[in-house]
Structures are given as structure tokens and as C-alpha cells.
Amino acid sequence: MDRRRDRNIGTPARKSLLAFALLGSAGLALAGCSSLGLGPKDPAEAVFACPKVNIVRDLSEVAQFRPGGRDMTDLQTRAALTDYTGNCEYTSKGVTVNVSVYLVAERGPAMKGDTANYKYFVAIAQPDETIVSKAVFDTSVTFPDGQARAGSKEELTPQIPLPKDVNARDWKVYVGFQLSPEELAFNRAQFGTAKRQ
């Protein structure tokens, strides 16, 4: 019989979406690496905690331009991973992390149609930061008639196979957009994190 141990995942502070609404702004300073927070319900099991969830700062946004364009008039859509909530569950087979990630999207002047498509990833890392698994997902956001912004809630359930009673608190779950080299360079320029030669 599995002895289930449920834990809550703390929610990072909500970010203001006002700056996100300004397409011409010089970058949207969203969460870098946020971690899980709330402790267990049973103080006797305080040593067991959820893995840390991180929205990777340089990969927290994506700006899609029409081919050949890099001006804001060429912007088709922009999206950001803005927040998350969730919990985790210990069983004899390991730890399941149940996370809801919130995506906010905005249409740009060059967008055609009402649906924008994005790719994002979920990766699991050991305590020493070694990535042991990564999955890439497709998602889409449909903008209602006359609306410039829309969003979605992505339900994720990464699993960490651990022996019974092994603590997963030092493991990590990374979430971000799956970006092209050009999209990553754009983000780093906006965030001021471009690598120096």
C-alpha cells in the first residue's frame, strides 16, 4: 500500500501585466527562477518537500516576427510564462509534480488570423543540475474578436522516479519557451543578459 504524502507548491508573487501590454517596452522583467515554497501539512514529515519549479528568465518570453522582420511593426505575437501553482505527491514509485503554468499572449500588428502557436519545455534536473529528462510541448492561444490579449493555463505533471522515502526537495523542474537561437538572442538583448565575448 502506498503511503501518499501531498505537498503544496508556493505561488510566486503575481506580476503586473501592465508592462506586458506595452509592445514597445524594452523588455518584460518577469520572474527569473522562482522556487516552490509551502511546507507539508504534517510536521512529522517536514523533511519531505516538493522539487523547486523554475521559470527560466531568458526563456520566459517569446517574440515572433514575420519572416525577415525585426521591427515592432513586424511583430506577430508576444507571449510570457507569468506564474504557476501546484503541488507534489510522494508514492512508492517516486514523486509526481502537478504544476499549472500560466501563459499570457498579446497579438502584434503583423499577426494574421486569431491563433498563435508556441512551444515550451519542461525539464527535470538532479540536485547537481544534471538534466535527466526534457519534454517539448505545443500549445496555442486563440484571441477573441477584438481582443489584443489572451492566455492559457498549461497543466503539467512531470514525474521523478525515486526510491521510496527519498526526498526530492533538491531536485528541480525547469519551464521555459523552446526558442530558436534568434529568439534567444532577442530575449537576452531585451533583458540585458547577452553574453559578452
Side-chain angles (χ1 to χ4, degrees), residues 20-92:
F20 184 72
L22 304 174
L23 283 173
S25 66
L28 312 177
L30 298 177
C33 289
S34 304
S35 62
L36 311 185
L38 300 182
K41 297 174 186 175
D42 182 354
E45 296 180 351
V47 69
F48 287 91
C50 289
K52 295 175 180 66
V53 172
N54 303 282
I55 297 176
V56 182
R57 183 170 190 250
D58 283 357
L59 308 177
S60 65
E61 298 180 22
V62 61
Q64 298 176 349
F65 295 88
R66 62 183 159 202
R70 275 294 177 265
D71 187 277
M72 281 301 172
T73 60
D74 299 315
L75 184 68
Q76 294 175 323
T77 180
R78 196 168 192 174
L81 300 171
T82 61
D83 203 357
Y84 62 80
T85 59
N87 58 54
C88 68
E89 181 181 14
Y90 280 75
T91 72
S92 62

Side-chain angles (χ1 to χ4, degrees), residues 148-186:
R149 288 185 297 278
S152 71
K153 180 171 79 168
E154 303 297 315
E155 302 284 348
L156 312 172
T157 56
Q159 295 185 345
I160 302 173
L162 291 174
K164 187 176 180 181
D165 293 328
V166 171
N167 198 338
R169 71 179 173 190
D170 294 324
W171 286 65
K172 298 172 183 69
V173 177
Y174 292 107
V175 182
F177 285 108
Q178 185 71 26
L179 303 180
S180 68
E182 295 76 19
E183 290 167 338
L184 178 58
F186 178 85

Side-chain angles (χ1 to χ4, degrees), residues 113-195:
D114 294 323
T115 301
N117 300 303
Y118 309 102
K119 287 184 180 292
Y120 68 93
F121 70 86
V122 179
I124 296 174
Q126 297 178 155
D128 67 359
E129 300 291 339
T130 301
I131 301 294
V132 296
S133 69
K134 178 183 174 182
V136 178
F137 302 94
D138 295 299
T139 191
S140 62
V141 173
T142 299
F143 297 89
D145 287 343
Q147 299 294 316
R149 288 185 297 278
S152 71
K153 180 171 79 168
E154 303 297 315
E155 302 284 348
L156 312 172
T157 56
Q159 295 185 345
I160 302 173
L162 291 174
K164 187 176 180 181
D165 293 328
V166 171
N167 198 338
R169 71 179 173 190
D170 294 324
W171 286 65
K172 298 172 183 69
V173 177
Y174 292 107
V175 182
F177 285 108
Q178 185 71 26
L179 303 180
S180 68
E182 295 76 19
E183 290 167 338
L184 178 58
F186 178 85
N187 279 6
R188 285 179 169 163
Q190 297 297 299
F191 294 146
T193 58
K195 292 184 176 178

